[in-house]
Amino acid sequence: MPDPQRFAGRVAIVTGAARGIGAATAARLAQDGARVLLADRLPEVAETAAAIGGAAVATDLLERGAPERLAQAALDTFGRIDILVNNAGIGGSKPLAESDDALIDRFVDTNLKAVLRMTRAVLPHLPRPGGRIVSVSSTFGIAGVPGTTAYAVAKAGVAQMTRQLAGELGSAGILVNAVAPGVIETAMTEGHLQNDYYRRAVLAPTPLRRAAKPEEVAAVIAFLASDDASFVTGQVIGVDGGWLAARHAPRDGE
């Protein structure tokens, strides 16, 4: 349950926050007492922020200097940065043989390079100790899933960044973790959930036999950003209904 004192006095930046997991995470952090700056390239981020009493910046993190400007906007608005949630990303990858340079660049630039640059921009401003970085990787970045190479490789990079930075920043008291969502009900997966092959290959083998709500991912992100996770760093936590641990096809009649 939300606790309005959990993040009292703390400031969070959430990227990709106009909708989906990002919007749910921003809302949960705000419910838990944080002041939140929501960032997204979609202009609707302003409405999402207004609904939770947060601030908004409409920006494309691929633009030169955008991460630094976003960090400065948080400082100008709230005076500090305690938590960074790297959620911005894109889906819809293809098999490598069908991926031209533009597609590969788009996935790696958006899902990995922008995360590295955003994290670098925020690092000087995080409290030591007490800073939190939580990034959104993917189950596809951990287990091989045919037809998603550029996306999966970029998300695997986010997972490895998490482990690397946990080692680099641990002595400063900054905790770095990630979540690896499975099938989540968002605009990004809406089309996939209507696809018979996707449902058979990814959704049906999930032990809990359902997709998750964005709020279920947001709850885990909030935990990792909180004092309750004070001895957790370098972890990539699957929020996947058990898919990574024990995916298996339904039995007849199930």
Side-chain angles (χ1 to χ4, degrees):
M1 295 292 294
D3 175 1
Q5 295 302 312
R6 194 180 201 183
F7 298 115
R10 300 185 197 178
V11 172
I13 296 174
V14 182
T15 68
R19 57 190 183 185
I21 292 172
T25 299
R28 178 58 188 266
L29 295 176
Q31 290 166 2
D32 283 349
R35 293 173 291 169
V36 188
L37 179 65
L38 293 75
D40 204 296
R41 63 185 180 184
L42 298 175
E44 66 196 70
V45 69
E47 297 177 13
T48 306
I52 65 169
V57 173
T59 187
D60 186 340
L61 292 177
L62 295 184
E63 294 178 358
R64 184 180 296 275
E68 289 76 16
R69 290 193 296 273
L70 181 54
Q72 189 60 52
L75 295 173
D76 292 343
T77 304
F78 298 120
R80 59 186 294 158
I81 305 169
D82 300 275
I83 301 162
L84 170 63
V85 179
N86 288 307
N87 171 71
I90 57 172
S93 188
K94 297 180 179 180
L96 185 61
E98 300 173 16
S99 302
D100 58 18
D101 286 351
L103 184 143
I104 292 172
D105 288 345
R106 186 162 64 93
F107 277 97
V108 174
D109 288 351
T110 304
N111 291 352
L112 180 56
K113 287 184 180 180
V115 173
L116 289 165
R117 290 169 177 154
M118 188 67 229
T119 303
R120 182 181 63 187
V122 166
L123 272 179
H125 310 293
L126 292 175
R128 291 160 165 75
R132 299 287 192 269
I133 300 168
V134 185
S135 301
V136 178
S137 180
S138 171
T139 52
F140 286 23
I142 298 172
V145 180
T148 67
T149 300
Y151 172 83
V153 167
K155 287 298 188 178
V158 172
Q160 185 60 17
M161 180 202 79
T162 297
R163 291 183 281 264
Q164 289 289 130
L165 288 182
E168 292 179 14
L169 301 174
S171 62
I174 296 174
L175 306 186
V176 188
N177 292 288
V179 293
V183 183
I184 314 298
E185 294 179 0
T186 67
M188 186 182 295
T189 62
E190 184 177 5
H192 295 310
L193 288 172
Q194 305 304 316
N195 181 282
D196 287 341
Y197 173 76
Y198 184 89
R199 293 181 64 85
R200 285 186 287 108
V202 181
L203 183 58
T206 299
L208 293 188
R209 305 297 194 233
R210 67 173 178 86
K213 301 290 186 183
E215 291 76 12
E216 292 177 286
V217 182
V220 180
I221 293 173
F223 162 72
L224 291 172
S226 76
D227 292 339
D228 291 331
S230 59
F231 204 60
V232 180
T233 195
Q235 303 305 305
V236 182
I237 298 178
V239 188
D240 63 351
W243 187 84
L244 282 170
R247 55 190 179 274
H248 61 284
R251 297 179 179 88
D252 290 343
E254 184 176 347

